[in-house]
Amino acid sequence: MLTSGPRPGRPRDSHIDQAVLKAARELLAESGYTRVTMDATAARAGVGKAAIYRRFGSKAELLFAAAVHGMDIEPPADSGSLRGDLRAMAQVIHERLATPAAREVTPALLAEMSRDPALAARLQSTFVARERRDLEVIMERAHRRGELSRPGDPALAHLLLGGPLFVALLVLPGPLDEDRLDDIASVIAAGLIAHATGPSRSG
């Protein structure tokens, strides 16, 4: 993490974390993405602006953590199958992206990332890496169970799972019910299992 997170030697204060995220969510709901500022967030949270910058390198990172997810996410509990784990992960992603706050923040964040490669790199190395870690855990479980004949590719699983959910929720909004989430998880699990049984690219 380049600028998000506490500086070395300074213990993280969870009360400040929660105050900052709560203030950011409130301001986002009241004023919208473009009008939220670090100064206003600091004032609302009752902390110094430096305390926010020790945790988040930019407003974009702060609002993503406040509206979508922070760095404290964990992989879903082991369901006993790759399909079940992917279904649980699909539910988590759906719940994160379906909120009004996430629907407002995500398009604005994508626009900022397209203009700022450094921001895009920070998000890749922090929030995206954390999401991919969850998929890595799921793929490792599937390999240990014998569902995958060789270790899976968490980056591929991330693309396959995140892509359709992102499009369904933010690009082509429409019904995304329990049956559709079931179908997405089933198709992706079958595809990953088939991919693992194919020829190895290194072989």
Side-chain angles (χ1 to χ4, degrees), residues 33-57:
Y33 183 93
T34 58
R35 294 188 178 182
V36 176
T37 66
M38 297 296 239
D39 285 325
T41 304
R44 176 70 64 93
V47 303
K49 190 164 63 171
I52 299 180
Y53 278 111
R54 283 196 294 271
R55 290 158 171 79
F56 304 99

Side-chain angles (χ1 to χ4, degrees), residues 4-173:
S4 301
R7 293 175 181 171
R10 296 183 67 100
R12 188 100 172 213
D13 187 328
S14 62
H15 296 294
I16 293 178
D17 294 350
Q18 295 306 313
V20 168
L21 293 173
K22 180 175 182 290
R25 283 190 288 268
E26 290 174 353
L27 290 168
L28 180 66
E30 294 169 11
S31 307
Y33 183 93
T34 58
R35 294 188 178 182
V36 176
T37 66
M38 297 296 239
D39 285 325
T41 304
R44 176 70 64 93
V47 303
K49 190 164 63 171
I52 299 180
Y53 278 111
R54 283 196 294 271
R55 290 158 171 79
F56 304 99
S58 67
K59 181 182 85 169
E61 293 165 70
L62 166 63
L63 291 182
F64 184 87
V68 185
H69 71 76
M71 293 294 292
D72 57 348
I73 57 172
E74 294 294 337
D78 190 344
S79 70
S81 71
L82 176 60
R83 187 259 176 208
D85 284 0
L86 291 173
R87 175 63 177 82
M89 191 69 178
Q91 185 69 40
V92 170
I93 295 172
H94 176 267
E95 290 172 356
R96 290 175 188 158
L97 291 179
T99 66
R103 288 177 182 272
E104 179 172 359
V105 165
T106 304
L109 180 60
L110 290 174
E112 287 201 33
M113 289 171 62
S114 69
R115 297 188 296 266
D116 185 352
L119 171 62
R122 284 199 303 273
L123 289 170
Q124 286 286 333
S125 67
T126 55
F127 298 109
V128 173
R130 188 73 178 208
E131 293 168 2
R132 192 159 293 170
R133 188 212 64 173
D134 291 352
L135 270 300
E136 184 176 1
V137 170
I138 288 173
M139 300 289 275
E140 288 174 352
R141 290 173 184 166
H143 184 232
R144 288 197 302 268
R145 293 188 201 103
E147 292 178 279
L148 297 178
S149 59
R150 62 173 185 258
D153 180 354
L156 176 62
H158 199 187
L159 285 171
L160 292 174
L161 187 60
L165 294 172
F166 183 89
V167 170
L169 288 165
L170 298 172
V171 180
L172 301 172

